[in-house]
Amino acid sequence: MTKGPFADIVMVNGVVYTADAQDNVYQAVAVKGDKILFVGNNEQIAGYVDKDTQQIDLQGKMVIPGMIDSHIHPPGIALTELYEVQLFGINTLAGYLAAVKDFINQHPDSKAVFGQGWLWSAFEGDDVNKGPRKEYLDAVAPDIPVILRAMDGHSWWVNSRALAVSGITGDTEAPEGGIIEKDTVTGELWGTVKESAISLVMQPQYTLEQYVQAMGAFQSKMHSFGITGILAILGRFTPLILQALNHLAQQGELALHVRGAIMIQPQDNLLSQFEAIDTLQTEYHSPNFRITTAKFFADGVVEGGTGYLLEPYTLETGKGPDYYGELLWDVGMLGQAFAGANQRGLQIHVHSIGDAATRKVLDALETAQQINSPGDFRNTITHLQLVDQADIPRFKELKVIASVQPYWHFKGPNWWHNVDYRLLGERAKYEYPLQAFVAQGITIISSSDYSITPVPNPLFAIETGVTRNIYDGRVYGVADITDMDDERYLLNKAERVSIADMIKSFTRNGAYALFMDHQTGSIEAGRQADLAVLDHNLLAINPVDIDKVKVMMTFFAGKLVYNSLESAQEHKTSGFYG
């Protein structure tokens, strides 16, 4: 039996899924300081225990590596839920207007109202194609600006006052890649702006102190879901978000691996943008927080009619018989931009929804490889709603990671039929490939795109990746399923993957995408002790019950950062139940 070095913490009598190269499963794990000391069976672990070792009897609970959300927008709703109207969970026009009216009544001194969470599926007629009209908001708020972001963030619904304050008129031209919707008969402003045109609209203003507080709340939320690492997609308010993260890092309070992605815009000078990222990399560089990635948008979203497709949208889109959406970059310029990013050591992370967009992105990545010397860039394409089968092998050929959001991989009630199928037709039945990537040996990583996914619990995504079905009907106001083959919300079950594949997409693969695979992402001796303890063994339960599994404890660098028992007691004391 081994005698020392002795562990600070040992966990025994559990199911320790390591996510190592062999998919090993053990009974116990030992932690010393911030590192995993040993992983093995109960008898072996006893040699690492002395009188000062904290011993945790798992009683059959599961331990997995701390999870990584590889596409997320901090601080999520931690900031906006304090200061903005929340539309999440509402799916009617009347409900949205009531929420705005209530918010104004509760905040009578508001100079403007901001909010997020409206769904395209809540509207009918022209409102489905263009977006909701300004007149609806004018009726409840004629005197102050109202700006409401769609659930996906790619379209903003505004009232007449917001348009006026923003200086948007019928003569205002949208930036390249943007849309200012207008009445096709009168030419009057409609009340919806999309994609890059969002930049023309007035923006909410928050202080650094508010961002620091929100970021702390965001970190606590991540820990409660067993998340110990993220790729932070930094868009609006980037300076304050960077400063808030840096503040936590400098104070020793950042208990997440944070890698940041900075936006590259096609309309701005490329060299200037890359030089700005160089400056940020120098300014923000600590063990837990650094800038590693350049973020690109190749297209928009299907629901806004701005995703770029190989075959036209349906006539239901209201754009005519030959409408494909559009690519947001000139293809040649995109290849040069990718080459420039990789030359500077930046990873590439590309938003691509449509199959035509993904093909053009792959073409541009191939161009970049031809220009540059070989390197380990771990370039990534994310979202991948539609992908032509002929393009899937190219991911492996070009060493491209497929970044998916399995939370969306089912036929959402009040959404799939009203939005995806209406705009895409039969193609919608084959959207969001997953097993197709795994079968080709392509690295998949999973993420939430929070706050677009309002509850970024990886267990929900793991269930959906395995079942391709709804993870909790109650969230959507429908009866939950008991059979993973229930046809109501099942989306192409041929794309199901294994539980192990899904866990690795949030752990081992996520760490690889963050260039941290030698530090975290698996439970192996010498790795950082980032761990999540679950109350049930995911490998043994009915997959439709995975969403009911709870995170009991989360460890970051060997320190307990979340304990469900303590959290429950705090909520009980404060009167909060959620």
Side-chain angles (χ1 to χ4, degrees):
M1 182 179 294
T2 302
K3 292 294 183 183
F6 297 112
D8 297 319
I9 303 169
V10 298
M11 303 182 205
V12 298
N13 297 322
V15 179
V16 181
Y17 177 75
T18 63
D20 66 10
Q22 292 76 39
D23 266 349
N24 283 313
V25 180
Y26 296 106
Q27 293 175 304
V29 60
V31 174
K32 185 172 182 62
D34 64 348
K35 298 289 194 297
I36 295 166
L37 180 61
F38 181 80
V39 57
N41 61 39
N42 290 333
E43 292 72 22
Q44 291 171 314
I45 219 79
Y48 296 93
V49 175
D50 70 358
K51 61 182 179 60
D52 297 319
T53 302
Q54 178 188 359
Q55 300 185 59
I56 299 173
D57 185 351
L58 294 168
Q59 298 180 329
K61 297 180 180 66
M62 188 177 201
V63 182
I64 63 174
M67 290 182 279
I68 294 169
D69 190 313
S70 52
H71 185 112
I72 194 167
H73 300 268
I77 61 172
L79 182 70
T80 59
E81 68 186 355
L82 297 174
Y83 307 108
E84 299 185 2
V85 60
Q86 297 300 302
L87 306 179
F88 299 104
I90 303 173
N91 195 36
T92 64
L93 171 60
Y96 297 146
L97 299 180
V100 171
K101 191 172 183 178
D102 289 346
F103 185 89
I104 293 172
N105 290 337
Q106 294 166 14
H107 304 84
D109 297 328
S110 295
K111 300 293 189 291
V113 175
F114 292 88
Q116 182 172 358
W118 59 267
L119 294 169
W120 287 89
S121 56
F123 302 100
E124 299 177 347
D126 287 341
D127 294 336
V128 175
N129 300 324
K130 293 181 179 295
R133 310 176 196 203
K134 64 183 187 302
E135 286 80 8
Y136 300 138
L137 295 176
D138 291 345
V140 295
D143 301 321
I144 62 173
V146 179
I147 300 97
L148 305 177
R149 302 182 294 279
M151 175 78 83
D152 59 27
H154 287 257
S155 300
W156 288 21
W157 174 22
V158 297
N159 68 349
S160 295
R161 187 62 184 154
L163 289 166
V165 170
S166 301
I168 300 174
T169 71
D171 296 324
T172 302
E173 292 189 9
E176 186 175 353
I179 298 173
I180 301 172
E181 291 288 2
K182 299 177 183 178
D183 189 301
T184 52
V185 176
T186 66
E188 183 180 356
L189 293 171
W190 188 265
T192 308
V193 297
K194 300 175 181 177
E195 304 302 343
S196 63
I198 288 168
S199 64
L200 303 176
V201 181
M202 63 182 293
Q203 308 284 324
Q205 301 295 320
Y206 300 114
T207 66
L208 176 59
E209 181 181 4
Q210 289 172 321
Y211 265 98
V212 169
Q213 292 174 344
M215 205 64 73
F218 168 83
Q219 176 172 263
S220 295
K221 183 187 290 286
M222 295 300 101
H223 290 159
S224 74
F225 294 137
I227 294 170
T228 56
I230 63 170
L231 176 65
I233 308 299
L234 303 170
R236 295 182 306 119
F237 319 126
T238 291
L240 286 175
I241 295 173
L242 291 170
Q243 292 168 32
L245 285 166
N246 192 55
H247 175 83
L248 293 177
Q250 296 304 315
Q251 296 298 313
E253 298 172 1
L254 185 60
L256 282 174
H257 302 292
V258 181
R259 299 296 180 261
I262 304 295
M263 198 79 67
I264 300 292
Q265 303 281 10
Q267 67 270 22
D268 297 332
N269 181 271
L270 283 176
L271 180 59
S272 297
Q273 294 183 81
F274 287 140
E275 289 176 342
I277 294 178
D278 290 344
T279 300
L280 293 175
Q281 287 183 306
T282 301
E283 186 174 358
Y284 302 112
H285 188 86
S286 63
N288 290 343
F289 174 44
R290 60 189 62 178
I291 307 299
T292 58
T293 305
K295 168 72 186 300
F296 297 80
F297 275 95
D299 64 348
V301 291
V302 165
E303 55 268 28
T306 52
Y308 183 41
L309 309 182
L310 288 171
E311 298 296 331
Y313 282 86
T314 66
L315 293 177
E316 292 290 320
T317 309
K319 301 286 187 179
D322 296 307
Y323 178 71
Y324 296 83
E326 66 175 314
L327 192 69
L328 298 179
W329 285 76
D330 171 81
V331 177
M333 184 180 176
L334 186 60
Q336 293 296 322
F338 286 171
N342 283 165
Q343 283 169 2
R344 302 180 94 88
L346 290 169
Q347 179 188 44
I348 293 165
H349 190 96
V350 192
H351 165 116
S352 184
I353 289 285
D355 44 9
T358 294
R359 177 166 295 175
K360 295 299 186 184
V361 170
L362 290 166
D363 290 345
L365 288 169
E366 186 170 359
T367 296
Q369 285 194 11
Q370 292 167 353
I371 294 172
N372 291 337
S373 300
D376 183 16
F377 303 117
R378 308 186 188 185
N379 296 324
T380 301
I381 306 177
T382 190
H383 302 322
L384 300 166
Q385 184 168 353
L386 292 179
V387 184
D388 190 273
Q389 287 295 313
D391 288 322
I392 288 179
R394 300 180 67 196
F395 281 74
K396 187 164 187 180
E397 294 166 7
L398 297 171
K399 299 180 180 178
V400 175
I401 297 170
S403 170
V404 297
Q405 292 73 43
Y407 300 85
W408 311 340
H409 292 194
F410 65 96
K411 295 179 180 178
N414 303 316
W415 179 271
W416 187 84
H417 287 284
N418 296 335
V419 179
D420 291 359
Y421 189 79
R422 187 177 63 84
L423 301 179
L424 297 174
E426 290 297 297
R427 288 169 292 184
K429 294 180 179 180
Y430 304 98
E431 64 186 3
Y432 297 121
L434 191 56
Q435 173 60 26
F437 290 117
V438 174
Q440 295 275 350
I442 296 158
T443 299
I444 59 166
I445 57 176
S446 288
S447 60
S448 63
D449 205 3
Y450 174 68
S451 57
I452 293 172
T453 298
V455 182
N457 183 344
L459 295 170
F460 296 170
I462 290 172
E463 175 173 325
T464 303
V466 172
T467 66
R468 298 286 290 192
N469 217 322
I470 196 168
Y471 55 82
D472 185 352
R474 296 169 298 176
V475 173
Y476 297 88
V478 298
D480 204 6
I481 63 170
T482 57
D483 180 357
M484 65 191 288
D485 290 324
D486 189 313
E487 292 284 347
R488 289 173 295 166
Y489 314 113
L490 179 62
L491 177 64
N492 192 6
K493 67 179 182 180
E495 294 294 344
R496 288 170 172 165
V497 298
S498 71
I499 291 176
D501 284 327
M502 283 308 306
I503 296 174
K504 283 187 287 190
S505 75
F506 274 110
T507 55
R508 182 183 187 86
N509 295 357
Y512 173 80
L514 267 57
F515 293 89
M516 300 191 69
D517 44 317
H518 295 297
Q519 181 179 347
T520 190
S522 60
I523 304 177
E524 301 178 74
R527 296 285 199 272
Q528 184 163 306
D530 303 329
L531 305 167
V533 180
L534 312 179
D535 67 351
H536 286 83
N537 176 7
L538 302 184
L539 302 174
I541 65 174
N542 187 331
V544 300
D545 292 327
I546 293 175
D547 66 285
K548 302 175 184 64
V549 174
K550 304 299 182 186
V551 175
M552 304 302 293
M553 291 183 285
T554 303
F555 293 83
F556 179 81
K559 294 182 180 179
L560 182 66
V561 293
Y562 173 75
N563 184 327
S564 65
L565 297 179
E566 292 177 2
S567 179
Q569 184 58 42
E570 289 174 4
H571 289 168
K572 185 176 181 180
T573 302
S574 66
F576 172 81
Y577 296 88

